[in-house]
Amino acid sequence: MVDWSGGNDTGPTPRKDAIWACIVREGQAQEPEYLRNRALAEAWLDALIRTELKAGRRLFLGFDFPFGYPKGFARAMTGTDDPLTLWDWFEQHVEDGSKTNNRFDLAGRINRKFGGRGPFWMNGLGRDIDGLPRTKTGYSNPFSDRRAVEALAKGSFTCWQMAGAGAVGGQVMMGLPVLSRLRHRFAGQVAVWPFEPLDRPVAFVEIWPSLTLGAPPDGRIKDAWQVEQVALTLSRLTEQELNAQLDVSAAEEGWILGVTQNKPNIAPPPLRNDCFALPAGVEWTPVDDALACLRDRLHPITSVEVVALNKASGRILAEDVIAQHSNPPQPNTAVDGFGFAGPVSDGPQVLPLVDGRAAAGIPFDGDVPEGQAVRVLTGAALPDGVDTVILEEDVTVKDGHIAFHGPLKQGANTRQAGEDVAAGDLALPTGRRLTPADLALLTALGIAEVKVRKPLRVAVVSTGDELVDAGECAGPGQIFDANRPMLLSLVERLGFVPVDMGRVSDDRDALRERLDQAAEQADVILTSGGASAGDEDHVSALLRQAGAMQHWRIALKPGRPLALGLWSGTPVFGLPGNPVAALVCTLIFARPALGLMSGEGWIEPQGFEVPAAFEKRKKPGRREYLRARIREGRVEVFKSEGSGRISGLSWAEGLVEIEDGARHIQPGDMVRFIPYGSFGL
């Protein structure tokens, strides 16, 4: 497996963002190889292929860059849809040295062929290039932005971006010529998947390590570790498993190994740039109005997949589940006893017993004549002729007969088919987050797989020069970053996937790059700090600059500033930097919004009216949330309302919500208490 690079020589010392390769033979990984430039990498690959061919071994070579471009590009450049002809075209036109190459100039030249505004974008050089813009301002792409496979591989990158965080355009342009030369050098020995049948000793295959791998262990270089892990994983696949992954059809664009082609290729529409806009003239926003705005304008943004039921715990249903079978599937007995045809009149009763019995999973073979009885055990299907059961404790058995006292209703001590859930009934609704009890119900109905939403990935970024991580040395004026671990844990507890994007100093360019990375890796971004309108409030400034930001001044205490916007189409919640305000804003605003975007629906927390154990005078104009807990049937609040008192968050077990108007609360007055558990924590 090879991790490629489109940059220049990376020097003698092994480092990240360089070319790395790893060989696995017989299930054993060799030490990953650091290849500082493409010339060395090509020579290393040449030697590897020669060695394996000479030894009579087959070679599965994976490269982490796209083997093709979106549909139509190959024909526009070469007059044919054949992607391998496009490989040859790049081999003829790319000029590559250890310290310089012409990838940006070539991208500009290609763009000029289509009017000079696309498809490639982002000039990473210090000089201007005719036809290759530095930003997407005025950008126009005559082709699709992404290949079909990239619509299924969330987080994958477009081949048109030539520079910047996550860009793979340079890797493609500088990688295809190498593969083209190797392919011609070993003509007849190399097959390129998925364009050619894999009937030759060497296979070139497109991979993407980040499809399944996260961060490396401490001390490992990510690129080196990833090629090692991918090679090990593929080497351990059975022939059947590998064939299933290779069984795709993508004649022109190529495909990423491991992305299942039969998943629904459908995604919800993107959010509108103005989805967070407030009505004209509104400056201070009441909490209820802000919540109504979010509820009306947001919608699910996660795509859909089918998973086995035993993998579905905690997942959100993407469609109603309709019972295909009834539960119980057939009438059965609820107790151990004796079954017969009812009803039975008042007084002593004696019935002869037929031979045999009915037990759970072992039905009675035959009919039970009217006026006779049969032994039945709990859960047994009722034999023909039986619709009523008497408990064995109420029966005397002697000489092949039973004796008991009536009366007994027809159907006593039995369960009817479908009395729990009948075939065709709604078993569980769309938006349900599946619980262990739900899995039991669906299993009882014979359902083996369900259609669910893919988990919502929520990136968390902390901003501020004053922040340091716990364990580091805090200098004068610095504080420990309490928000990020709190928010990451909160996201996970709510049932979403946390994506830790670290902390960023008050540097606008650094924050821009981090937001770019977060938008590629997550569905939603939570930032803390920089949500106001001051000089150092860079989150607000960048969202305004992107043209998709609204700065809300919520009539709320704590937590008035809340920046909402879209970054590269990804929703951003810019939370206050104060931990107390950040938590309150997350629970009150972000929590229901995340539920809606995940497909779970809008979740309103359940509150309870509880006697107050405190006194509080409140002025009109703002909704207030106090850290609180219940003791001896009364709700008490934290001793200080200061939003810097983080200990109050840990002390509390929920929030007291005080309505917008003026109020004087005295001990014993009823107040609304919302436990943390009502938010899903």
Side-chain angles (χ1 to χ4, degrees):
M1 298 297 114
V2 182
D3 185 294
W4 202 249
S5 171
N8 296 326
D9 190 304
T10 50
T13 304
R15 47 162 286 187
K16 65 178 183 178
D17 298 327
I19 300 175
W20 284 89
C22 183
I23 299 172
V24 169
R25 286 196 181 94
E26 302 295 334
Q28 298 298 314
Q30 298 182 8
E31 187 70 17
E33 293 274 353
Y34 169 70
L35 302 165
R36 58 186 287 182
N37 59 52
R38 284 178 294 279
L40 289 175
E42 183 173 345
W44 183 87
L45 289 166
D46 183 292
L48 173 65
I49 295 172
R50 292 184 189 279
T51 298
E52 300 307 302
L53 290 176
K54 184 176 181 180
R57 292 190 290 258
R58 290 180 296 167
L59 178 60
F60 189 104
L61 260 172
F63 298 87
D64 76 329
F65 56 85
F67 281 11
Y69 284 81
K71 186 176 181 180
F73 182 69
R75 176 168 290 277
M77 297 304 299
T78 67
T80 173
D81 295 329
D82 181 10
L84 298 179
T85 302
L86 184 62
W87 286 25
D88 295 341
W89 188 94
F90 277 112
E91 181 189 351
Q92 296 166 14
H93 293 86
V94 166
E95 300 169 6
D96 191 12
S98 63
K99 296 189 180 298
T100 184
N101 61 71
N102 71 335
R103 68 184 189 274
F104 294 106
D105 293 290
L106 185 58
R109 172 182 162 188
I110 294 172
N111 280 2
R112 292 195 297 275
K113 178 181 175 70
F114 303 103
R117 295 193 296 169
F120 293 101
W121 65 281
M122 184 65 82
N123 175 9
L125 298 181
R127 58 181 172 83
D128 291 337
I129 296 177
D130 184 22
L132 183 62
R134 296 189 182 277
T135 68
K136 296 188 79 172
T137 302
Y139 176 74
S140 176
N141 190 346
F143 310 102
S144 174
D145 187 55
R146 294 175 183 270
R147 301 179 297 160
V149 67
E150 286 147 2
L152 299 176
K154 182 68 175 177
S156 57
F157 304 106
T158 173
C159 57
W160 305 121
Q161 184 179 347
M162 295 298 295
V168 297
Q171 287 180 260
V172 184
M173 199 173 287
M174 306 311 295
L176 294 183
V178 173
L179 299 191
S180 180
R181 284 192 292 273
L182 291 171
R183 178 172 170 268
H184 290 298
R185 197 174 301 155
F186 298 96
Q189 303 293 312
V190 174
V192 180
W193 178 86
F195 309 136
E196 299 175 316
L198 296 185
D199 54 2
R200 300 168 191 170
V202 179
F204 288 178
V205 178
E206 179 183 341
I207 62 169
W208 182 38
S210 295
L211 179 69
T212 56
L213 296 175
D218 290 342
R220 293 293 303 271
I221 294 175
K222 180 180 179 180
D223 306 323
W225 176 75
Q226 286 193 336
V227 290
E228 174 193 84
Q229 293 303 306
V230 173
L232 283 169
T233 298
L234 290 174
S235 73
R236 294 165 181 167
L237 293 179
T238 65
E239 182 176 353
Q240 183 180 13
E241 290 170 335
L242 182 59
N243 283 340
Q245 294 204 14
L246 293 170
D247 185 20
V248 301
S249 176
E252 180 179 348
E253 295 187 336
W255 201 260
I256 299 171
L257 184 71
V259 176
T260 305
Q261 194 167 36
N262 61 4
K263 289 183 179 179
N265 186 9
I266 185 170
L271 296 173
R272 291 164 50 95
N273 275 356
D274 62 353
C275 63
F276 294 122
L278 292 170
V282 172
E283 181 178 3
W284 283 93
T285 312
V287 170
D288 290 339
D289 290 355
L291 290 172
C293 183
L294 290 173
R295 183 171 188 172
D296 291 344
R297 300 186 187 185
L298 297 177
H299 58 72
I301 59 175
T302 50
S303 54
V304 175
E305 63 181 347
V306 176
V307 300
L309 192 63
N310 62 359
K311 302 291 185 183
S313 181
R315 300 294 293 275
I316 297 169
L317 287 176
E319 66 179 10
D320 291 344
V321 178
I322 305 300
Q324 303 300 310
H325 303 278
S326 295
N327 184 50
Q330 53 197 356
N332 65 83
T333 174
V335 298
D336 291 344
F338 298 88
F340 42 82
V344 175
S345 60
D346 194 11
Q349 307 290 333
V350 176
L351 297 177
L353 281 171
V354 300
D355 291 335
R357 70 173 192 172
I362 308 175
F364 177 75
D365 185 15
D367 298 341
V368 178
E370 187 173 358
Q372 298 186 42
V374 66
R375 173 69 166 151
V376 293
L377 301 180
T378 301
L382 295 181
D384 290 340
V386 172
D387 59 19
T388 305
V389 175
I390 187 167
L391 277 74
E392 63 179 347
E393 295 92 332
D394 297 334
V395 172
T396 299
V397 182
K398 185 176 181 181
D399 298 331
H401 289 72
I402 61 170
F404 59 94
H405 287 281
L408 203 63
K409 294 180 182 179
Q410 186 177 35
N413 300 311
T414 65
R415 306 184 186 104
Q416 299 305 306
E419 71 174 27
D420 180 21
V421 180
D425 284 353
L426 173 65
L428 292 172
T430 302
R432 172 87 172 188
R433 188 180 289 275
L434 292 173
T435 67
D438 293 335
L439 301 190
L441 170 61
L442 297 181
T443 300
L445 298 174
I447 293 170
E449 59 183 24
V450 287
K451 188 175 291 187
V452 296
R453 293 277 180 181
K454 289 187 176 180
L456 187 76
R457 299 169 303 168
V458 182
V460 176
V461 183
S462 287
T463 68
D465 287 335
E466 74 278 13
L467 299 178
V468 296
D469 288 337
E472 296 181 351
C473 181
Q478 290 188 310
I479 58 174
F480 295 110
D481 180 10
N483 279 353
R484 201 167 89 252
M486 174 183 72
L487 294 173
L488 288 167
S489 175
L490 187 148
V491 166
E492 186 172 33
R493 290 282 294 273
L494 293 177
F496 309 120
V497 178
V499 181
D500 187 358
M501 298 305 300
R503 55 183 173 84
V504 185
S505 63
D506 288 323
D507 179 286
R508 198 162 296 185
D509 290 337
L511 179 57
R512 181 184 292 107
E513 182 176 355
R514 194 66 55 88
L515 289 175
D516 284 342
Q517 295 168 355
E520 291 285 357
Q521 298 180 37
D523 305 299
V524 183
I525 303 171
L526 300 182
T527 70
S528 64
S532 293
D535 293 341
E536 296 300 321
D537 292 316
H538 298 296
V539 174
S540 295
L542 285 176
L543 291 175
R544 277 196 303 271
Q545 193 178 81
M549 181 270 182
Q550 295 297 324
H551 185 254
W552 286 14
R553 299 177 69 200
I554 308 293
L556 171 77
K557 180 183 177 183
R560 283 176 290 176
L562 185 64
L564 301 171
L566 296 178
W567 186 266
S568 297
T570 302
V572 180
F573 286 77
L575 304 168
N578 183 289
V580 176
L583 180 68
V584 169
C585 283
T586 300
L587 294 180
I588 302 303
F589 299 106
R591 167 56 182 119
L594 293 175
L596 194 56
M597 290 186 285
S598 72
E600 188 177 14
W602 185 269
I603 307 296
E604 294 189 1
Q606 175 66 56
F608 303 90
E609 295 296 315
V610 182
F614 62 92
E615 182 175 4
K616 160 80 175 175
R617 289 182 182 272
K618 176 188 171 296
K619 296 179 180 180
R622 288 195 293 176
R623 180 89 43 99
E624 293 194 18
Y625 292 91
L626 309 178
R627 288 152 283 174
R629 65 186 186 185
I630 292 181
R631 291 294 183 269
E632 299 180 356
R634 293 155 68 92
V635 61
E636 57 187 32
V637 297
F638 190 58
K639 58 188 177 182
S640 170
E641 294 182 21
S643 55
R645 302 289 290 271
I646 302 177
S647 62
L649 294 175
S650 177
W651 173 92
E653 297 166 356
L655 301 172
V656 162
E657 181 184 59
I658 306 177
E659 59 272 24
D660 299 351
R663 183 148 184 213
H664 180 196
I665 300 170
Q666 298 187 23
D669 289 350
M670 303 301 286
V671 295
R672 187 169 189 252
F673 174 70
I674 309 174
Y676 284 151
S678 289
F679 295 102
L681 300 182

